[in-house]
Amino acid sequence: MLQVYLTNIVHIFESQPLILFFVIILLSVFFADITTVLLTSFIVETKQDPFLLYSAVFISIYIVDLSLYLIGKKTATIRSSIQLPALKSMYALYLARFIPGLRFLSFVNAGRSGLSIYTFSINVTLSSFTWNGSLILLTDFVMNPLLLSPLY
């Protein structure tokens, strides 16, 4: 049901790339992985230019991740009954993207721990490209298993 609903939204704005760019940003904020998979199937079906559409997905994911980090930064001075160990490991931050439910805790904790925004941004960007790139390639392969055609 959700897939049909999201696919219909994307098809409505198919002929208006700039509006589609912002629609994809909004969808990605709420349904990041589902949007990436549906967007790939949409690109394969309609032969749209993937650069603008995937850029919208990555921008929205980065905005959400940065927001979680900034929430942690702002709440660093608030005493909490839950004491989490300081998250300053690049590998832990990178792997948090791949474990469901861990992203929220890890990114907020990274802000609370005083991790530099530069280190945070590099790790989040690399993990986003790895994770979403995997989703894109897997979806493209499933839609074109024998052809192995490129996305465009």
Side-chain angles (χ1 to χ4, degrees), residues 51-136:
F51 180 76
L52 181 68
L53 304 181
Y54 286 133
S55 296
V57 171
F58 286 114
I59 288 169
S60 64
I61 289 171
Y62 182 76
I63 289 170
V64 170
D65 294 347
L66 186 61
S67 299
L68 291 173
Y69 172 84
L70 293 174
I71 288 170
K73 231 5 171 190
K74 277 293 202 191
T75 60
T77 58
I78 299 173
R79 289 185 50 97
S80 174
S81 61
I82 301 171
Q83 294 298 323
L84 297 171
L87 181 67
K88 295 195 178 196
S89 168
M90 292 185 351
Y91 302 111
L93 197 57
Y94 182 83
L95 293 174
R97 167 79 57 201
F98 305 102
I99 301 171
L102 193 57
R103 187 176 107 182
F104 176 79
L105 289 173
S106 298
F107 292 177
V108 170
N109 194 24
R112 288 181 61 95
S113 300
L115 185 71
S116 76
I117 196 163
Y118 177 75
T119 303
F120 176 81
S121 294
I122 288 174
N123 286 302
V124 166
T125 302
L126 290 174
S127 64
S128 292
F129 278 119
T130 304
W131 175 247
N132 289 314
S134 302
L135 286 176
I136 290 165

Side-chain angles (χ1 to χ4, degrees), residues 10-61:
V10 171
H11 278 292
I12 289 171
F13 300 105
E14 181 177 347
S15 62
Q16 301 164 334
L18 189 58
I19 293 174
L20 184 59
F21 178 81
F22 291 108
V23 167
I24 289 169
I25 286 177
L26 289 175
L27 289 174
S28 295
V29 166
F30 299 107
F31 311 106
D33 295 341
I34 294 171
T35 303
T36 302
V37 170
L38 293 176
L39 185 61
T40 302
S41 63
F42 172 75
I43 289 170
V44 169
E45 288 175 9
T46 62
K47 308 295 186 218
Q48 292 278 335
D49 177 28
F51 180 76
L52 181 68
L53 304 181
Y54 286 133
S55 296
V57 171
F58 286 114
I59 288 169
S60 64
I61 289 171

